[in-house]
Amino acid sequence: MYKQICLFSIFIFSILTVSSMTGCSPKSPPSNHQEGVQRNTTTDCLVVDSSGTVTYGNDLVTLDASNSSQGYIMVQYKGASTVVKLQITIPDGTIYTYALPPGNYESFPLSGGSGDYKITLLEPVQDEMYAIAFSTTISVSLVDEFHPFLYPNQYVWYGPESKSTALGIEISQKSSNDLDYVENIYEYVIKHITYDEQLADNVPAGYLPNVDQTLDTGKGICFDYAALMAALLRSQQIPTKLEVGYSGDAYHAWISVYLKETGWVSGIIQFDGTHWSLMDPTLAANNSSSSVKKYIGNGSNYTVKYSY
């Protein structure tokens, strides 16, 4: 799945990019910054925990469901294989498949709302064949719909010491409200991160975003853009979905954000003071139109397949 994401990653070009190509100057949108007003900055981001209060498993795996009501589970694989798969079937029947490395606990979101989740560990037996090493079903009652999208997980990983968390605090302290913060985060990402075509052409199987590495290198693919923005927003307690799906026929990753005044804003980032515009951070970054065309979908719609 990750290779598809990266080989067909960029969606449509942003309004700003099109304007620059045609020689037109886009009208400057009204700012949502309020002079003399400062957003209530969060200095302690939410962290995941494997407390061991509620666990399932066997000699190969431990499933810690102690915080399932908060929207996540922790899973630890204790075997020797490096290509184990974890499948999580959410209440509507959609199957999410993750790579599960051996050793440490990994955090996975319960993104399908309250209900029954089937958790299955698959170990390789030969070639591309896998056998079930563990399976159980847990009943989940979420505190609310937002918690799965407020905590770090395997795809959106950060912590109190992460560079992304420190950056979020810095930018939040220059923002007057949540909407202003979303705009400032968006502007930071599109100005500081460029599309990594070499990685997109050679992305390894099981690729996972590393948000601090993206900040260090200033480069990334769509998965990295979405993970970085999700980390910056979640660490400031703004519910954010990292979504994977289709832009026309192209597989892609983007984010959706929840704002109290608006609700869920799906696949939309930029706000002009009155209307939201379809603005994906991967697209709006300073990319060359000629060099990224092979990654572009037809831009007809966003169709969500998975939410993390």
Short mmCIF file of all heavy atoms in Angstrom, two decimals, residues 16 78 80 106 148 158 176 185 193 226 234 254 258 273 278 286-287:
data_model
loop_
_atom_site.label_atom_id
_atom_site.label_comp_id
_atom_site.label_asym_id
_atom_site.label_seq_id
_atom_site.Cartn_x
_atom_site.Cartn_y
_atom_site.Cartn_z
N LEU A 16 -2.91 28.61 -6.02
CA LEU A 16 -1.75 29.50 -6.08
C LEU A 16 -0.79 29.08 -7.17
O LEU A 16 -0.23 29.90 -7.88
CB LEU A 16 -1.03 29.50 -4.73
CG LEU A 16 -1.82 30.08 -3.55
CD1 LEU A 16 -0.99 29.97 -2.28
CD2 LEU A 16 -2.19 31.52 -3.81
N LYS A 78 6.53 -10.26 19.88
CA LYS A 78 7.71 -10.78 20.58
C LYS A 78 8.39 -11.92 19.83
O LYS A 78 9.28 -12.58 20.37
CB LYS A 78 7.30 -11.23 21.98
CG LYS A 78 6.82 -10.09 22.86
CD LYS A 78 6.23 -10.56 24.18
CE LYS A 78 4.83 -11.12 24.01
NZ LYS A 78 4.16 -11.39 25.31
N ALA A 80 10.26 -13.58 16.10
CA ALA A 80 11.52 -13.32 15.39
C ALA A 80 11.33 -12.76 13.99
O ALA A 80 12.26 -12.21 13.40
CB ALA A 80 12.32 -14.62 15.30
N GLU A 106 3.74 -0.77 19.62
CA GLU A 106 3.33 0.17 18.59
C GLU A 106 1.89 0.58 18.88
O GLU A 106 1.08 -0.22 19.37
CB GLU A 106 3.41 -0.46 17.20
CG GLU A 106 4.81 -0.87 16.78
CD GLU A 106 5.59 0.26 16.14
OE1 GLU A 106 4.96 1.19 15.59
OE2 GLU A 106 6.83 0.22 16.17
N PRO A 148 -9.48 9.16 18.76
CA PRO A 148 -8.55 8.43 17.89
C PRO A 148 -7.67 9.35 17.05
O PRO A 148 -6.60 8.92 16.57
CB PRO A 148 -9.50 7.62 16.99
CG PRO A 148 -10.74 7.48 17.79
CD PRO A 148 -10.88 8.76 18.54
N TYR A 158 4.86 11.09 17.26
CA TYR A 158 5.54 12.23 17.88
C TYR A 158 5.40 12.07 19.39
O TYR A 158 4.65 11.21 19.87
CB TYR A 158 4.91 13.56 17.44
CG TYR A 158 3.45 13.66 17.77
CD1 TYR A 158 3.01 14.23 18.97
CD2 TYR A 158 2.48 13.15 16.91
CE1 TYR A 158 1.66 14.29 19.29
CE2 TYR A 158 1.13 13.20 17.23
CZ TYR A 158 0.72 13.77 18.41
OH TYR A 158 -0.61 13.82 18.74
N SER A 176 -3.59 33.39 17.04
CA SER A 176 -4.61 33.97 17.91
C SER A 176 -5.78 33.03 18.18
O SER A 176 -6.52 33.23 19.14
CB SER A 176 -5.14 35.28 17.30
OG SER A 176 -5.62 35.06 15.99
N ILE A 185 0.26 26.76 10.33
CA ILE A 185 0.89 25.45 10.12
C ILE A 185 0.96 25.15 8.62
O ILE A 185 1.98 24.71 8.09
CB ILE A 185 0.10 24.35 10.85
CG1 ILE A 185 0.32 24.44 12.35
CG2 ILE A 185 0.49 22.97 10.33
CD1 ILE A 185 1.75 24.21 12.79
N ILE A 193 8.80 22.57 3.16
CA ILE A 193 8.92 21.18 2.73
C ILE A 193 8.68 21.09 1.23
O ILE A 193 7.70 21.64 0.72
CB ILE A 193 7.91 20.26 3.46
CG1 ILE A 193 7.95 20.49 4.97
CG2 ILE A 193 8.19 18.80 3.12
CD1 ILE A 193 9.27 20.19 5.63
N ALA A 226 1.31 14.74 5.02
CA ALA A 226 0.10 14.54 5.81
C ALA A 226 0.44 14.20 7.26
O ALA A 226 -0.21 14.71 8.19
CB ALA A 226 -0.73 13.42 5.17
N ARG A 234 -2.37 17.71 15.95
CA ARG A 234 -2.78 16.88 17.09
C ARG A 234 -2.04 17.27 18.37
O ARG A 234 -2.62 17.24 19.45
CB ARG A 234 -2.51 15.41 16.79
CG ARG A 234 -3.44 14.79 15.78
CD ARG A 234 -3.18 13.31 15.64
NE ARG A 234 -3.91 12.75 14.52
CZ ARG A 234 -3.91 11.47 14.19
NH1 ARG A 234 -3.22 10.60 14.93
NH2 ARG A 234 -4.59 11.03 13.15
N TRP A 254 -3.77 12.68 2.55
CA TRP A 254 -4.05 14.08 2.89
C TRP A 254 -4.57 14.13 4.33
O TRP A 254 -4.53 13.11 5.03
CB TRP A 254 -5.06 14.70 1.92
CG TRP A 254 -6.40 14.03 1.91
CD1 TRP A 254 -7.49 14.35 2.68
CD2 TRP A 254 -6.81 12.92 1.09
NE1 TRP A 254 -8.55 13.52 2.39
CE2 TRP A 254 -8.16 12.63 1.42
CE3 TRP A 254 -6.18 12.15 0.11
CZ2 TRP A 254 -8.87 11.61 0.80
CZ3 TRP A 254 -6.89 11.13 -0.49
CH2 TRP A 254 -8.22 10.87 -0.14
N TYR A 258 -10.73 19.02 12.36
CA TYR A 258 -11.97 19.40 13.05
C TYR A 258 -11.78 20.74 13.73
O TYR A 258 -10.84 20.94 14.50
CB TYR A 258 -12.37 18.36 14.10
CG TYR A 258 -13.67 18.69 14.78
CD1 TYR A 258 -14.88 18.28 14.24
CD2 TYR A 258 -13.68 19.44 15.95
CE1 TYR A 258 -16.08 18.60 14.85
CE2 TYR A 258 -14.88 19.77 16.58
CZ TYR A 258 -16.08 19.35 16.02
OH TYR A 258 -17.26 19.68 16.62
N GLY A 273 -11.46 33.20 4.95
CA GLY A 273 -12.24 34.09 5.80
C GLY A 273 -13.72 33.85 5.63
O GLY A 273 -14.52 34.17 6.51
N LEU A 278 -10.13 23.70 -1.53
CA LEU A 278 -9.49 22.39 -1.56
C LEU A 278 -8.00 22.59 -1.71
O LEU A 278 -7.49 22.85 -2.79
CB LEU A 278 -10.04 21.59 -2.74
CG LEU A 278 -9.76 20.10 -2.73
CD1 LEU A 278 -10.39 19.45 -1.50
CD2 LEU A 278 -10.33 19.45 -3.97
N ASN A 286 6.15 24.29 -2.94
CA ASN A 286 6.82 24.88 -4.10
C ASN A 286 7.41 23.80 -4.99
O ASN A 286 8.61 23.56 -5.00
CB ASN A 286 7.92 25.83 -3.62
CG ASN A 286 8.54 26.60 -4.78
OD1 ASN A 286 7.93 26.76 -5.82
ND2 ASN A 286 9.75 27.08 -4.57
N ASN A 287 6.55 23.12 -5.74
CA ASN A 287 6.98 22.06 -6.64
C ASN A 287 6.92 22.53 -8.09
O ASN A 287 6.11 23.36 -8.46
CB ASN A 287 6.08 20.83 -6.49
CG ASN A 287 6.15 20.24 -5.11
OD1 ASN A 287 7.20 19.80 -4.68
ND2 ASN A 287 5.02 20.24 -4.40
#
